[in-house]
Amino acid sequence: MGGYSLGIDIGGTFVDAILFDGETGETRLEKSPTIPQSTSSGVLNAIDKLGIDLGDVDTIVHGTTLGLNAIIERRGARVGIITTRGFRDILELGRGDLPAAHMYDMHYQRPEPLVQRRCIAGVPERIDVNGEIDTVLDKDAVMEAVNLLVHTQEVSSLAICCLHSYKNPEHEQQIAEIARGLIPDIWLSVSNQVVREHREYERTCTTVLDAYIRPIFEKYIDDLFSELKRKGFAGKFLVMRSSGGAMTADAAKQRPLDSVLSGPAGGIIGASYLAEQLQLRQLLTMDFGGTSLDTCVIEKAEPGVIHETRLQDMPVLIPTFDIRCIGAGGGSIAWLEEGMLRLGPHSAGAEPGPIAYGRGGTQPTLTDAALMLGYIDPDNFLKGELPLYVAEARKGLETEIVLPMRADLLETAAGIFSVLIAQTEGAVREITVEQGKDPKDFTILAFGGAGPLVAPLLALEMGIPSTIIPRVPAVFSAWGMLMADLATDVSQTFVVEIEEAVLPQVDDLFMSLEKKATLTLSQQGVGPEDQVMVRNLEMRYLGQEHTLKIQVESMPAYEILRSLFDSAHEYRYGHRTEQPLELVNLRVAGLGRMTKPELKKHPVTSTGDNIENINDRRSAYCFNDKKMKEFQVIDRDLLNPGNNITGPAIIDEGTSTTVIYTSQTCLVDDYGHLLINTSV
């Protein structure tokens, strides 16, 4: 083995690959267009461009949105459900609420459920809320249901979800055994193995989504891993998880839903690592790619984690980073709605891409607007690998936006950026202002291909003083994946009023969960000395619906636990009460510590603003002055630690562009990061 680590991130437009040399600390990066029809081909193309012998690579860490895309595009497996008799309509009934985006839409129509009613079978069985068997499982009915769903309804994947199985999974296990005995090659997702928590609708949705993506995910992982081995790879192949951490390919095939948001997770892991290294207490990440913008709050080097999210308006009980996503990226399409300028959420994607790519795109995008504003060098895009067509981009903007609005081309292009910033501010306020935090107390960390282009403007508009552009921002998420530990999450619902007498029982349940987490990590090759267990209690005041998560090392006395919860509740909501406490869920996060690449400082070889070989000067739009100005253009490869840059300036590194406005300055730190200061 040659001490190399390889991180791979699939985006909506490009596949990013970054190679880290463990001996020298050097990195190499490549980007290759995403191939929607053959995702693995795009990955292999990016690896091939690195020109590396895969036999020298110790570890590959891969983040993929394959499962997410399958859900969004509704091209997963044909799923059948076996559930408790009388609960056949649970997907149709749902919770009776509307998605927030359609709260006042009188014409809103719910999307069709992923599973048709005729593909759902109820069987006689019942386990009560205490986990006791009320009605014995009718095994003949199970066999009849399996045959009906597989042979008549032609389902290829089964979701098994019975009432109160989080308390007692016995009947679900029996149904799975019967199904496997009848149809050995059937794909199975069993709710107590996917998520052992209460709330039947949410647990059913989670299990169905797991069954929906399992076949295509397993095939993708097997095909890609086989091709990598054929090319000489003999190291560890890891897949990123939605809540950070990684898992082996075999573990990922067992829990495909855990990877559904793994693409953005790499950037959050990398950001947490940087926050710790640079001692940044409050960090706001801005991951701006080709199709979307993701933002997340990191405090004390710890990103927020939530245990319920929504995919296509379906609740999913999986741990994920608390990320806000808007459908606006470099390939997002600008369009008019009743004369009003809009941006996204639909995107030109990788094919055909922005008009400027010259691949047949006809709808103007943010990239086309950036080209008109002078931010992008059309001859140096992707280091010259993809020359941009300026005249075509201009014509497209004029035809689709400028002429219908009777506006100026420059004003229109600037307006597209203004719409983007307004959308981004809304996402930022959701995770800061609406949670009692001031965005001005945070430092922005911008990455993704378009992150350095947009973040300084966001800082300018929101009055955020500090922005960091890391090294290799275009592939930062892939780099962040190399910082991941192996990880697993296990949970169990245990609803009980908390008092001193029940704490030993809670501790026993924690030990049982830790045993499961330990086994999972051990099966992935993690020794006991590298395993770390993190315990969390989800609690609430009696009568509340929502919970707060409290981390504990071991079970404290009741008075200490009460004090911890009261303080957390007061910090979050501004008050505390005398109500009794209620426990809802226990969670254990198991971590398997792995060796990570280290950030290396570079000696300060230059100081001040004397930068040699300033490439060029060109006219570009300055949002601070609201007009075109002359910007100095600097090749980032020529910058050294200690350099100072005063705006207006454009720092070009081929795969991304940083724009610094007239009220901003930039310092290159001793790690090579760009530290942008905005006067507020």
Side-chain angles (χ1 to χ4, degrees):
M1 292 292 179
Y4 289 107
S5 300
L6 179 60
I8 304 168
D9 177 33
I10 301 177
T13 306
F14 292 102
V15 176
D16 300 334
I18 184 166
L19 185 71
F20 179 82
D21 187 333
E23 295 182 2
T24 66
E26 297 299 317
T27 58
R28 291 167 51 197
L29 64 98
E30 289 293 347
K31 297 173 79 74
S32 182
T34 299
I35 303 175
Q37 302 81 9
S38 177
T39 309
S40 59
S41 296
V43 171
L44 295 170
N45 289 343
I47 295 174
D48 288 343
K49 289 177 69 175
L50 287 167
I52 186 71
D53 183 350
L54 285 176
D56 294 331
V57 176
D58 294 337
T59 305
I60 293 177
V61 189
H62 182 25
T64 174
T65 55
L66 179 73
L68 177 62
N69 293 338
I71 295 169
I72 292 173
E73 298 167 10
R74 293 207 162 213
R75 53 176 178 83
R78 183 172 174 82
V79 177
I81 301 175
I82 296 179
T83 187
T84 304
R85 186 172 61 183
F87 286 80
R88 186 181 176 197
D89 296 312
I90 194 164
L91 285 185
E92 292 277 6
L93 293 172
R95 289 295 176 191
D97 57 350
L98 289 175
H102 298 281
M103 187 177 296
Y104 304 107
D105 184 356
M106 301 298 292
H107 303 288
Y108 175 71
Q109 295 290 322
R110 291 184 182 276
E112 289 292 322
L114 287 180
V115 184
Q116 297 172 314
R117 191 175 189 273
R118 62 176 177 269
C119 294
I120 305 175
V123 296
E125 71 84 29
R126 187 78 174 223
I127 288 175
D128 67 21
V129 71
N130 297 312
E132 302 296 330
I133 296 177
D134 181 86
T135 302
V136 176
L137 176 68
D138 186 334
K139 296 183 179 180
D140 290 335
V142 173
M143 289 189 284
E144 183 180 343
V146 171
N147 284 317
L148 171 69
L149 295 176
V150 175
H151 297 303
T152 303
Q153 299 302 334
E154 298 181 336
V155 305
S156 59
S157 186
L158 277 179
I160 301 171
C161 192
C162 297
L163 190 67
H164 302 308
S165 60
Y166 64 91
K167 272 285 190 178
N168 181 351
E170 180 179 341
H171 284 175
E172 284 192 352
Q173 292 168 351
Q174 291 178 14
I175 293 171
E177 289 172 4
I178 293 170
R180 184 71 73 195
L182 290 172
I183 316 289
D185 59 350
I186 189 75
W187 307 94
L188 288 180
S189 293
V190 186
S191 81
N192 72 82
Q193 298 173 7
V194 176
V195 55
R196 197 167 176 178
E197 296 180 28
H198 69 162
R199 296 187 294 169
E200 299 309 307
Y201 172 59
E202 287 79 3
R203 182 156 53 88
T204 300
C205 286
T206 304
T207 308
V208 165
L209 287 171
D210 186 90
Y212 191 67
I213 68 172
R214 181 178 293 271
I216 63 170
F217 184 84
E218 286 195 26
K219 183 178 186 305
Y220 168 74
I221 293 297
D222 284 340
D223 289 350
L224 179 59
F225 195 23
S226 296
E227 190 64 21
L228 291 171
K229 289 193 292 185
R230 188 184 69 80
K231 290 175 174 285
F233 177 65
K236 286 185 178 180
F237 181 47
L238 306 178
V239 178
M240 281 295 298
R241 303 168 72 251
S242 301
S243 59
M247 50 188 167
T248 63
D250 287 339
K253 290 191 294 182
Q254 295 301 312
R255 299 187 60 87
L257 202 58
D258 283 354
S259 72
V260 73
L261 296 171
S262 64
I268 306 303
I269 290 292
S272 301
Y273 182 77
L274 278 191
E276 183 176 12
Q277 294 294 312
L278 303 180
Q279 298 183 341
L280 299 170
R281 291 182 60 83
Q282 292 180 295
L283 198 63
L284 183 65
T285 68
M286 303 297 282
D287 181 1
F288 201 122
T291 57
S292 65
L293 184 150
D294 303 316
T295 181
C296 178
V297 161
I298 296 176
E299 296 185 285
K300 298 179 182 178
E302 290 291 334
V305 175
I306 55 177
H307 295 276
E308 180 178 342
T309 187
R310 298 187 76 85
L311 298 175
Q312 293 294 283
D313 294 330
M314 294 180 66
V316 189
L317 298 177
I318 58 171
T320 67
F321 286 131
D322 190 6
I323 297 172
R324 295 298 184 273
C325 177
I326 61 174
S332 292
I333 293 170
W335 54 289
L336 296 177
E337 182 182 39
E338 297 181 354
M340 299 293 291
L341 186 60
R342 298 282 187 258
L343 182 68
H346 37 296
S347 170
E351 293 291 342
I355 298 172
Y357 283 11
R359 295 175 177 167
T362 59
Q363 296 177 293
T365 66
L366 185 77
T367 297
D368 299 308
L371 195 57
M372 296 302 101
L373 295 174
Y375 300 146
I376 299 175
D377 182 352
D379 298 322
N380 194 42
F381 190 69
L382 289 187
K383 298 183 178 179
E385 291 184 15
L386 182 60
L388 300 181
Y389 296 81
V390 180
E392 286 80 351
R394 179 183 294 108
K395 182 179 179 181
L397 274 164
E398 289 175 342
T399 302
E400 299 294 328
I401 307 291
V402 175
L403 293 177
M405 288 185 67
R406 299 179 181 178
D408 175 76
L409 175 64
L410 190 64
E411 291 176 353
T412 299
I416 291 172
F417 269 75
S418 296
V419 171
L420 168 67
I421 294 301
Q423 293 174 339
T424 307
E425 282 191 44
V428 169
R429 292 183 188 280
E430 278 187 34
I431 55 176
T432 55
V433 175
E434 293 181 14
Q435 297 188 20
K437 303 177 176 70
D438 187 347
K440 295 180 182 179
D441 294 335
F442 286 78
T443 295
I444 296 175
L445 176 68
F447 50 94
L453 177 69
V454 175
L457 178 57
L458 179 70
L460 190 68
E461 295 294 330
M462 295 192 70
I464 299 176
S466 301
T467 302
I468 297 176
I469 311 298
R471 296 180 61 197
V472 294
V475 294
F476 184 81
S477 289
W479 178 84
M481 292 172 188
L482 302 179
M483 305 295 121
D485 293 312
L486 284 174
T488 187
D489 290 281
V490 287
S491 63
Q492 184 169 341
T493 293
F494 183 55
V495 182
V496 64
E497 186 175 324
I498 299 178
E499 52 188 27
E500 194 71 45
V502 305
L503 294 184
Q505 188 177 359
V506 175
D507 196 46
D508 288 343
L509 287 172
F510 263 134
M511 287 191 285
S512 175
L513 292 176
E514 287 176 345
K515 185 177 180 180
K516 292 180 182 178
T518 297
L519 177 62
T520 299
L521 291 175
S522 298
Q523 290 172 340
Q524 297 181 74
V526 181
E529 68 281 1
D530 293 322
Q531 295 185 14
V532 178
M533 299 293 152
V534 180
R535 293 180 170 188
N536 283 287
L537 294 165
E538 285 189 353
M539 302 186 295
R540 61 191 177 191
Y541 290 126
L542 192 64
Q544 287 183 326
E545 166 64 17
H546 299 289
T547 61
L548 282 176
K549 188 167 63 176
I550 305 297
Q551 183 173 319
V552 293
E553 292 187 8
S554 57
M555 283 309 301
Y558 172 78
E559 292 79 11
I560 297 175
L561 191 59
R562 174 85 201 203
S563 177
L564 288 171
F565 181 82
D566 285 341
S567 297
H569 194 278
E570 187 170 28
Y571 175 78
R572 180 68 177 84
Y573 297 109
H575 70 281
R576 61 178 72 192
T577 78
E578 299 301 319
Q579 284 287 97
L581 294 185
E582 186 175 50
L583 174 62
V584 178
N585 291 313
L586 294 84
R587 301 188 185 278
V588 169
L591 300 177
R593 300 297 186 190
M594 296 184 65
T595 303
K596 305 177 184 66
E598 292 185 7
L599 282 178
K600 293 189 176 182
K601 292 185 177 182
H602 301 275
V604 176
T605 58
S606 302
T607 58
D609 56 4
N610 293 322
I611 302 167
E612 296 181 2
N613 301 319
I614 291 181
N615 295 21
D616 196 4
R617 295 181 183 273
R618 70 169 179 261
S619 181
Y621 188 81
C622 181
F623 274 89
N624 195 52
D625 296 336
K626 308 297 182 187
K627 63 181 181 181
M628 299 292 286
K629 297 197 69 171
E630 186 179 76
F631 282 62
Q632 56 180 330
V633 181
I634 304 166
D635 186 336
R636 186 167 182 176
D637 290 340
L638 300 177
L639 292 174
N640 295 303
N643 280 149
N644 280 293
I645 301 161
T646 301
I650 293 171
I651 300 174
D652 193 345
E653 51 190 298
T655 54
S656 66
T657 301
T658 303
V659 181
I660 303 169
Y661 299 99
T662 54
S663 61
Q664 296 175 323
T665 58
C666 175
L667 171 69
V668 183
D669 76 357
D670 47 10
Y671 291 104
H673 307 313
L674 305 180
L675 310 182
I676 300 173
N677 179 267
T678 302
S679 299
V680 296

